Amino acid sequence: MKLKNTIITYSLFTIVIYLFAKMYELFGHGVTSLWMSNAYLYVLGLGVFVFILLKMSIPEIVQQRGYRPFYQIYNSGVAILINGMLLRGILEIAGGSSAYISWFLFVGWGLIGIGVVLFLKMLISKVMLTSGITESGVKIENRHSDTHMEGKTC
Amino acid sequence: MKKSHNVIGKRVSWVATLVIVMAFSSAFTLLDAFVIPKAYVVVAQAQTENPTLALDEVEIAGNASLAGSNSVEPEEGETLANADLVGSIKAKLDEIAAEDTIGLDAWNTSAEVETTPADTSVGEVQTEVIITDHSYVDENISISVETIEENGVVFYVADIQLSDVSYLRTAFANNTFGRNITQTTSEMAEANGAIFAINGDYYGFRDTGLIIRNGVLYRDVPENSLSDQSLTIDGEGNFEIVDNSQASGKSLVEEGVLQSFSFGPTLVEDGQVVATVDKTVSQGDNPRTAIGQISPLHYLFIVVDGRTDTSDGMTLQELAQVFVDRGAEVAYNLDGGGSSAMWLNGTLLNNPTNGRRAGERNISDIIYIGY
C-alpha cells in the first residue's frame, strides 16, 4: 500500500477510535478508562506519525525487499494492541477484568517489536547496498542497489 | 497486471485473516468475561470437607478452625459479654413493639425456628421477634431501615446492631465461588434464610481482588483494576481498611479476618471523609451501595437509588458525608449501579436499575444478616 494511503487509513482509524471511546464513555455513567481514552494516541503515534516520518525521510523504502513482511507484521501488531486496549477499556468501565487481555497486549507489542527489527534489518541492508558492501563485508564496486528491490509501486 | 492482482489478493487475505482472528479472540474474551460461568469451589465443600483449597488460578488456603468456628454459634461467654448490648436491643425491641407491627405469621424466618445463641446465653431475655416493613428486632439482631428523600435523592439507611459477628454473613450465588455465577440479591437472601441483605462487591466479575468469606480464603490475588484498598471484617466484627499491596489473604485469615471485600474506594476512615476521585469507579450521581461501622457490632448499610426520575443518585463524596453525619468511623464503597439492592424481611426495599431497565441485576454475592 502506498505510504500516503497508509497515513490516510491510520488517520481515519485515529478519528474512529477517538469517537468510539468518547461515545462509549458517554454511556459509562462517569466511569472512564485510560486504556480506552488513550487508545487513539497509540494509533496516532504508532501509525500516522511513523508512516509520515517514513514518507518524509525514506519514501523509497516501500520498494525495498523486506518491506512487505515489516508492513504486515507491524500493522498487525498495532491492530492487535489497539484491540486489546479497547477490550481492556470496555472491561474496566464495566468493572470487570480478564486474564486474556494481557495476551492481546503481549502479542501486539511483540509483533510491533518484530516489525521494528525487520525494519532496522531492511534499513541496514539498504545502507550497505547503497554503499556497495555485501552482507559478508566485501565491497562491490558499481553495483546498483535496485538489484535488491522488488519493483513494487510506491 | 497479473502480479498486481496477486499483490492485492495477498493483502486482502492478510487483512481478512487478521480481522477474523481478532474478531474471534475478542468475542471469546468478552464472552469469557461477561457470560461463560466458571465454578471454582462449592461453598459447602470449602467450609466442611476441604478447608485447604487448590484452584487453577490461585492458591487458596482455608483455615479449618476459622471455617469451622464460623459455622457454629458463638460460645456462651462471648454472648454474655454482650449483656449491655442485649439490654439495648431489648429496649429497642420494646420501643418498636409499641409501633405498628406485622404478625410473626407474615414472616417465616429461620430465627423463629432455629435455636439462637440468645436462648442459651441470655436466658433472662424472652425470645421475641418484632417485624415491621422497615425493621427487624430480636434479642440478637436489631435492624432499622430509614428511607430518606433529600435533594432529589432517595436512599436507604439500615442501622444494624448485633450481639455477635456471626450474624453478619456473606453468601455466593448458588453457594458457589466462581466467575459469572450469578443470582439476584433477593434470590440469594431467600436461599440463605437472610433477614436483611445487600449486594456485595460482585467479585465474580473480576479475576483479582482478595476474597475471604465466612472465614475461608477463596482468592488471594490483590485487586489491580479497581481501588487499591480492601475492607476486612475481623472476628470481633470490626471493619479495617487494608492496602492491597500489603494484604496477604493467608495471613489475614490466620489473624482472624472473616470477610473481605474488594471494590472501593474507602469512603470514611477514622470518622473522616477520605473518598477520592477514582476514575475506575463511577463519579457523578449514581446508585450506590456501601457499608460502614459506627461502633463495635453497630453498622450502617446504605443503598442509594439512582438513574431514575425520582432519584439522581449520589457521588462518592456525598455518600461518604452521609456516613460521617451518622457517626461512622469506617465506610467502604461496594458495587453500585444496577447492582445496588437492599432486601429486608422478604421484600426488596429500593428500586434497582441500570438506567435502561428496572429490576434487580444478577450478581455474585451478598452481605446478609441472619442466623
Side-chain angles (χ1 to χ4, degrees):
Chain A
M1 186 185 277
K2 287 181 180 178
L3 283 174
K4 185 182 168 187
N5 290 349
T6 305
I7 292 165
I8 291 170
T9 307
Y10 266 119
S11 300
L12 287 174
F13 269 113
T14 303
I15 294 166
V16 167
I17 288 167
Y18 176 80
L19 291 176
F20 173 78
K22 287 293 168 197
M23 289 292 284
Y24 200 89
E25 287 174 357
L26 207 63
F27 296 99
H29 301 291
V31 186
T32 56
S33 166
L34 285 176
W35 291 90
M36 182 175 281
S37 54
N38 288 346
Y40 81 97
L41 291 174
Y42 284 75
V43 188
L44 196 66
L46 295 170
V48 179
F49 285 165
V50 164
F51 284 96
I52 283 178
L53 205 64
L54 281 183
K55 186 165 175 55
M56 288 173 67
S57 55
I58 35 175
E60 71 277 8
I61 194 79
V62 294
Q63 293 178 333
Q64 184 80 18
R65 178 184 287 176
Y67 178 77
R68 170 177 283 276
F70 151 74
Y71 186 82
Q72 294 187 340
I73 288 173
Y74 180 84
N75 287 329
S76 299
V78 174
I80 291 168
L81 177 72
I82 300 304
N83 190 46
M85 292 179 77
L86 293 177
L87 283 174
R88 182 154 182 174
I90 289 169
L91 286 171
E92 270 193 0
I93 288 171
S97 64
S98 170
Y100 296 111
I101 296 296
S102 52
W103 283 102
F104 283 90
L105 306 180
F106 177 76
V107 172
W109 280 120
L111 290 178
I112 289 170
I114 292 170
V116 169
V117 169
L118 289 176
F119 177 78
L120 291 175
K121 193 179 168 189
M122 183 173 58
L123 210 60
I124 290 166
S125 168
K126 178 181 163 58
V127 170
M128 287 169 70
L129 284 169
T130 306
S131 58
I133 301 169
T134 64
E135 290 181 3
S136 56
V138 179
K139 188 161 185 174
I140 301 169
E141 298 294 339
N142 301 325
R143 185 166 179 182
H144 198 275
S145 61
D146 282 353
T147 52
H148 276 253
M149 294 192 177
E150 289 180 346
K152 292 175 201 163
T153 54
C154 185
Chain B
M1 188 72 177
K2 192 178 176 182
K3 189 174 181 181
S4 175
H5 273 301
N6 194 26
V7 168
I8 292 168
K10 278 181 183 174
R11 189 176 298 144
V12 169
S13 68
W14 160 64
V15 172
T17 306
L18 183 66
V19 167
I20 289 168
V21 168
M22 285 207 306
F24 272 102
S25 54
S26 301
F28 174 77
T29 302
L30 291 174
L31 283 171
D32 177 73
F34 291 100
V35 181
I36 301 169
K38 284 182 280 190
Y40 299 144
V41 182
V42 175
V43 172
Q45 291 173 353
Q47 293 192 337
T48 58
E49 295 173 8
N50 187 14
T52 304
L53 305 168
L55 305 185
D56 291 339
E57 303 170 9
V58 293
E59 184 188 344
I60 299 294
N63 184 307
S65 61
L66 279 169
S69 68
N70 190 52
S71 61
V72 297
E73 293 164 353
E75 291 176 10
E76 188 176 346
E78 291 173 350
T79 313
L80 282 172
N82 294 313
D84 291 344
L85 180 61
V86 171
S88 71
I89 290 177
K90 180 74 168 63
K92 180 87 175 177
L93 195 151
D94 292 339
E95 180 189 320
I96 288 180
E99 299 175 3
D100 58 332
T101 58
I102 295 171
L104 292 183
D105 293 342
W107 171 241
N108 183 22
T109 172
S110 58
E112 298 172 57
V113 261
E114 282 188 8
T115 303
T116 67
D119 291 330
T120 54
S121 59
V122 199
E124 69 274 16
V125 179
Q126 288 184 343
T127 301
E128 192 174 2
V129 180
I130 296 181
I131 297 167
T132 72
D133 56 359
H134 59 272
S135 68
Y136 174 99
V137 180
D138 67 18
E139 51 276 312
N140 298 303
I141 297 168
S142 167
I143 302 167
S144 173
V145 180
E146 191 182 356
T147 303
I148 300 167
E149 290 184 50
E150 211 172 77
N151 303 324
V153 183
V154 180
F155 59 103
Y156 308 81
V157 180
D159 189 299
I160 297 169
Q161 181 90 57
L162 306 175
S163 66
D164 192 275
V165 69
S166 62
Y167 307 125
L168 172 57
R169 305 174 68 83
T170 52
F172 294 135
N174 297 321
N175 276 328
T176 303
F177 172 74
R179 177 140 191 164
N180 292 325
I181 295 172
T182 58
Q183 282 183 302
T184 63
T185 299
S186 300
E187 287 168 346
M188 279 184 268
E190 283 165 12
N192 288 278
I195 296 164
F196 170 88
I198 59 167
N199 62 291
D201 63 3
Y202 207 162
Y203 77 88
F205 199 38
R206 300 176 295 280
D207 291 322
T208 57
L210 175 66
I211 302 296
I212 302 169
R213 297 296 160 88
N214 300 321
V216 177
L217 175 60
Y218 289 93
R219 190 164 68 195
D220 198 2
V221 183
E223 180 65 76
N224 61 13
S225 61
L226 289 172
S227 82
D228 53 3
Q229 291 182 318
S230 295
L231 173 72
T232 60
I233 304 176
D234 66 19
E236 302 295 318
N238 292 323
F239 287 11
E240 189 178 352
I241 304 297
V242 296
D243 288 333
N244 289 332
S245 57
Q246 296 167 352
S248 157
K250 217 177 228 179
S251 60
L252 286 172
V253 168
E254 284 167 3
E255 289 165 16
V257 168
L258 297 178
Q259 319 284 353
S260 75
F261 304 97
S262 291
F263 202 93
T266 303
L267 301 174
V268 177
E269 221 172 347
D270 298 325
Q272 303 294 317
V273 173
V274 295
T276 53
V277 175
D278 184 342
K279 286 289 185 185
T280 55
V281 178
S282 61
Q283 303 300 303
D285 295 332
N286 273 301
R288 308 278 181 193
T289 299
I291 55 176
Q293 183 181 18
I294 296 174
S295 57
L297 298 172
H298 188 187
Y299 309 104
L300 282 178
F301 287 20
I302 298 180
V303 165
V304 182
D305 276 346
R307 301 176 189 169
T308 66
D309 294 335
T310 53
S311 181
D312 297 332
M314 272 189 199
T315 64
L316 291 169
Q317 288 76 16
E318 288 168 344
L319 182 57
Q321 194 58 51
V322 172
F323 275 100
V324 170
D325 291 345
R326 283 162 176 75
E329 286 295 313
V330 183
Y332 188 79
N333 184 54
L334 295 170
D335 187 24
S339 301
S340 287
M342 183 179 280
W343 184 95
L344 174 71
N345 298 335
T347 306
L348 187 68
L349 298 180
N350 70 315
N351 301 296
T353 176
N354 61 8
R356 292 181 291 276
R357 185 167 44 85
E360 277 188 272
R361 175 189 281 172
N362 284 339
I363 56 171
S364 299
D365 56 327
I366 58 166
I367 305 171
Y368 73 95
I369 306 295
Y371 289 98

